[in-house]
Amino acid sequence: MVAMDPAFERIIDRCRDGDREAFAEVVSRYGLQVLRTARLIVRDQQLAEDVVQETFVRAWRRLGSLEHDDLGPWLLRIATNESISAWRRRNRFQALAERFGRLREAPAGPSSEERMDLDRALGRLSPELRAVVVLHYYQDLSVEDTARTLRQPVDTIKSRLKVALRRLRELTGSKEDSNG
Amino acid sequence: MGDDFERQLRDQLDREARQVGRFPDPLRARIQDAIEPRRRLGITQQLALAGALVIFIGLLAVGVAQLRGFKGGPVPAATPTPATSVAPSAGPSAQPSASALSFTCDAGSGGGPSGSNLTALRVAHHSGYDRITFQFDGGLPAYSITPQSNAQFTQDASGQTVVLMGSSGLRIVFHDSSGHTPSGQQTYTGSTDLEPNLPSVREVREIGDFERVLSWGVGIAGSPCYHVSELSGPTRLVIDVQAP
């Protein structure tokens, strides 16, 4: 947890009192970080902006129940969950098909001609896996902090990271380091 | 942890994230427009709310006990109960919307010298009020808001009378401002006559843009009472017109 500076704590207090100008400062401070995270998960700028709007509107409504130290991770949690939901809403068919296993890729990974770059491979992950990858590798959160942010058990996060990495390696045709 | 592949992954995510160079101003404006005014409950209001909750739970318990009695079950406590019960009015909701706004029906003014120009105008309905948002490309220009008991306006420069939809109105005048720059480049390209037909705001129309005095008229159904907020990042003047 990172303690906030007193000036920013006062801004949060003003937000709690309904000061929308103060909330604009919260948006300025966290907006870009939240937007980039959402975009990496949903992989679409417009959808990411919708996610960010929903995230901050929810945050505004629930600010009263927030502890000072938790604002950053709290916003990230809202944004991540909202990103996953938004992606699922937009890709209902794909989500349904995944659930019933109809859209299975070749199990052993693509041949050398089919190998894809990381960008496309990331797009093939489920939003849940992508969220974990983004928080851990882009936000540089430890496995424990990722778990705390997503309110998931540490083992679940470890397992998701392992599955995500294996899948990405398969899709890009990368070999695992023998010492890694 | 950290083989070559993981490094590539970090680089890839970083590259992709940096495609979003800055936080978009229109998104900032959307968020500001979407959040409702909210006030923290005072201690008296919190106590009133807690009291109302206790009474409500009490009445609920009595109701359940009565129901048991009708079913023939034992009623251990012979508590006298009212034949009809009216729950006390619960205090203001935790997130009041229109009720949190203090509307005024008097003239108002604000802003200051800025020389900025109008770039956008939005009108939308919210619970209990209709919102008009004027957005500018610089600081908030000096403005005045004048309620009137009819929807009749005199156009600047021409002196012609225009009658907007509605039964009353607001005249909003921005000084040293315009829908275009002094060199003639248009900054506001939206409609100059909006008919959103909302519960309160029926029509919003430009009634003058002459010699750096920009005037808009608002046709209103009902009383021309409003609440004004000045917002930054981007600069906006938000007028919430009380709706029935």
Side-chain angles (χ1 to χ4, degrees):
Chain A
M1 284 209 210
V2 181
M4 277 187 203
D5 62 84
F8 199 67
E9 280 185 20
R10 281 194 292 278
I11 288 172
I12 302 296
D13 276 341
R14 281 168 53 205
C15 291
R16 288 193 170 108
D17 286 335
D19 185 338
R20 287 187 285 181
E21 289 278 356
F23 194 68
E25 295 188 41
V26 172
V27 174
S28 293
R29 183 165 178 149
Y30 291 103
L32 187 57
Q33 185 193 8
V34 171
L35 177 60
R36 284 176 166 174
T37 303
R39 193 179 185 281
L40 288 172
I41 297 173
V42 301
R43 301 178 70 75
D44 177 277
Q45 179 70 16
Q46 193 52 53
L47 191 57
E49 290 190 11
D50 291 346
V51 164
V52 171
Q53 180 177 346
E54 186 60 26
T55 298
F56 280 107
V57 169
R58 283 184 186 210
W60 168 256
R61 288 181 188 149
R62 296 185 201 160
L63 259 173
S65 62
L66 170 73
E67 293 298 324
H68 277 174
D69 294 345
D70 288 333
L71 185 58
W74 185 63
L75 285 170
L76 269 186
R77 172 161 57 244
I78 302 176
T80 304
N81 290 334
E82 186 55 35
S83 296
I84 292 170
S85 305
W87 190 93
R88 290 231 171 271
R89 277 195 299 275
R90 178 173 282 190
N91 300 276
R92 274 201 187 102
F93 172 74
Q94 192 175 336
L96 204 65
E98 267 176 17
R99 183 170 292 179
F100 291 101
R102 289 177 199 152
L103 280 186
R104 272 194 201 129
E105 307 292 333
S111 67
S112 57
E113 295 80 35
E114 292 168 323
R115 277 177 196 164
M116 55 182 70
D117 58 24
L118 255 176
D119 178 32
R120 284 183 59 210
L122 279 163
R124 293 289 187 95
L125 295 182
S126 71
E128 286 85 358
L129 290 184
R130 213 157 42 231
V132 174
V133 167
V134 168
L135 292 184
H136 184 62
Y137 288 103
Y138 170 65
Q139 288 288 349
D140 258 342
L141 296 185
S142 66
V143 171
E144 289 74 20
D145 284 342
T146 304
R148 211 170 293 131
T149 300
L150 296 179
R151 286 191 174 157
Q152 297 277 347
V154 171
D155 285 345
T156 304
I157 301 302
K158 280 184 182 167
S159 155
R160 284 186 184 172
L161 276 174
K162 199 172 164 187
V163 171
L165 279 183
R166 192 175 59 221
R167 183 92 182 104
L168 289 172
R169 284 183 201 279
E170 278 172 11
L171 290 167
T172 54
S174 304
K175 294 255 188 327
E176 193 161 359
D177 276 8
S178 52
N179 60 355
Chain B
M1 194 139 152
D3 62 14
D4 260 359
F5 183 74
E6 286 174 289
R7 270 192 292 279
Q8 283 171 33
L9 181 55
R10 280 181 209 278
D11 289 348
Q12 171 62 36
L13 291 168
D14 202 46
R15 258 197 311 277
E16 204 175 319
R18 274 191 275 112
Q19 285 173 10
V20 186
R22 59 192 294 274
F23 196 75
D25 284 339
L27 177 56
R28 202 184 299 275
R30 268 168 61 193
I31 292 168
Q32 281 294 316
D33 286 348
I35 61 175
E36 302 272 321
R38 176 173 51 73
R39 293 232 171 94
R40 181 194 272 182
L41 292 181
I43 187 72
T44 345
Q45 289 165 313
Q46 288 183 29
L47 286 173
L49 206 60
L53 194 66
V54 166
I55 293 171
F56 175 74
I57 290 170
L59 289 172
L60 198 68
V62 168
V64 169
Q66 265 191 329
L67 206 63
R68 278 188 177 176
F70 283 134
K71 284 180 176 170
V75 184
T79 319
T81 55
T84 55
S85 64
V86 179
S89 94
S93 69
Q95 288 176 14
S97 49
S99 57
L101 293 177
S102 50
F103 294 101
T104 178
C105 308
D106 297 328
S109 60
S114 77
S116 68
N117 298 306
L118 183 71
T119 54
L121 171 56
R122 295 182 286 276
V123 187
H125 175 65
H126 293 252
S127 174
Y129 57 92
D130 293 338
R131 172 166 291 180
I132 309 165
T133 305
F134 292 92
Q135 188 168 314
F136 295 88
D137 59 5
L140 187 62
Y143 67 87
S144 62
I145 304 172
T146 314
Q148 55 184 56
S149 57
N150 56 54
Q152 189 173 309
F153 296 87
T154 305
Q155 287 185 303
D156 284 349
S158 74
Q160 284 185 330
T161 298
V162 286
V163 180
L164 306 192
M165 290 194 289
S167 54
S168 66
L170 284 177
R171 184 185 183 93
I172 302 151
V173 180
F174 299 101
H175 300 276
D176 194 15
S177 186
S178 171
H180 52 81
T181 63
S183 61
Q185 190 185 353
Q186 207 74 26
T187 56
Y188 175 70
T189 53
S191 169
T192 52
D193 188 5
L194 294 90
E195 295 180 6
N197 216 16
L198 301 179
S200 231
V201 173
R202 295 302 167 90
E203 188 171 355
V204 182
R205 182 164 171 177
E206 185 187 276
I207 50 177
D209 186 356
F210 183 63
E211 293 189 339
R212 303 283 303 161
V213 176
L214 176 65
S215 310
W216 285 77
V218 182
I220 294 169
S223 307
C225 302
Y226 64 97
H227 174 271
V228 67
S229 315
E230 299 176 1
L231 304 176
S232 57
T235 301
R236 278 151 298 146
L237 180 71
V238 176
I239 300 169
D240 295 331
V241 181
Q242 193 169 20

